[in-house]
Amino acid sequence: MAFKTETDAEQRATSRRADWFGILSRSHAGELDALAADAADGVAFEWLRRPHVGLVMVRGRAGGTGQVFNLGEMTVARASVRLADGTVGHGYVQSRDKRQAELAAIVDALLLQEHRHDEIMAKVIEPLRQKEQTRRIEKSRKAASTKVEFFTMVRGENPA
């Protein structure tokens, strides 16, 4: 039995999709709605999986690189759609917002269409990426402002 291995082009496509999928999943509902509502309006689709709320297991690694462990469960909203041309899109978002999952699924499907890809990347994904980076920088600055540095003083004892 021969196993099919992905070509470089398929691996790049998978990596690109994983990137925008992550951006959509971490977006905030109001941001996604504001950026994607125009693109999603009027798009003909059928539900493969209506938006619903569920749980996923969040896994972590000890020390970031060590042994895998189950951290706990996280609430997600998810949906799947098929556009009129047969393109299938999925949406998983870190919230209970079913509308956000619906929009994420539609945007995912639109990004898979070659004639819409660049437009959707420019109008939806890149602005969401910028907003996420801004949030990350702000969170990092806030954490850095609470950093406490500890130091020890030598008490004048003579080390032997």
Side-chain angles (χ1 to χ4, degrees), residues 120-137:
I120 302 298
M121 285 297 288
K123 289 183 178 178
V124 180
I125 301 301
E126 291 308 322
L128 287 175
R129 184 188 316 276
Q130 291 300 318
K131 289 174 185 292
E132 180 180 16
Q133 286 175 345
T134 301
R135 279 193 302 272
R136 234 179 239 183
I137 290 168

Side-chain angles (χ1 to χ4, degrees), residues 14-24 26 121 125-126 129:
T14 300
S15 177
R16 285 192 351 244
R17 189 174 188 195
D19 176 58
W20 79 59
F21 210 84
I23 297 290
L24 289 169
R26 292 184 301 271
M121 285 297 288
I125 301 301
E126 291 308 322
R129 184 188 316 276

Side-chain angles (χ1 to χ4, degrees), residues 87-151:
T87 307
V88 174
H90 306 284
Y92 284 76
V93 295
Q94 300 177 16
S95 70
R96 295 175 167 268
D97 191 334
K98 293 178 181 180
R99 169 72 175 156
Q100 187 181 3
E102 173 187 341
L103 283 173
I106 293 170
V107 169
D108 178 49
L110 292 173
L111 284 163
L112 293 171
Q113 296 179 325
E114 288 185 31
H115 66 284
R116 301 281 314 263
H117 179 83
D118 292 340
E119 171 197 354
I120 302 298
M121 285 297 288
K123 289 183 178 178
V124 180
I125 301 301
E126 291 308 322
L128 287 175
R129 184 188 316 276
Q130 291 300 318
K131 289 174 185 292
E132 180 180 16
Q133 286 175 345
T134 301
R135 279 193 302 272
R136 234 179 239 183
I137 290 168
E138 184 59 34
K139 188 184 276 187
S140 178
R141 283 188 185 142
K142 193 172 185 179
S145 72
T146 64
K147 184 178 179 181
V148 177
E149 302 223 12
F150 292 94
F151 60 93

Side-chain angles (χ1 to χ4, degrees), residues 46-104:
E46 67 175 302
W47 292 112
L48 297 178
R49 176 186 292 190
R50 288 194 174 276
H52 70 281
V53 176
L55 296 172
V56 295
M57 179 59 68
V58 177
R59 302 186 83 189
R61 289 191 176 271
T65 58
Q67 188 172 5
V68 176
F69 64 94
N70 291 337
L71 185 63
E73 292 178 329
M74 177 178 75
T75 305
V76 296
R78 52 191 163 215
S80 295
V81 298
R82 180 181 300 129
L83 302 184
D85 70 352
T87 307
V88 174
H90 306 284
Y92 284 76
V93 295
Q94 300 177 16
S95 70
R96 295 175 167 268
D97 191 334
K98 293 178 181 180
R99 169 72 175 156
Q100 187 181 3
E102 173 187 341
L103 283 173

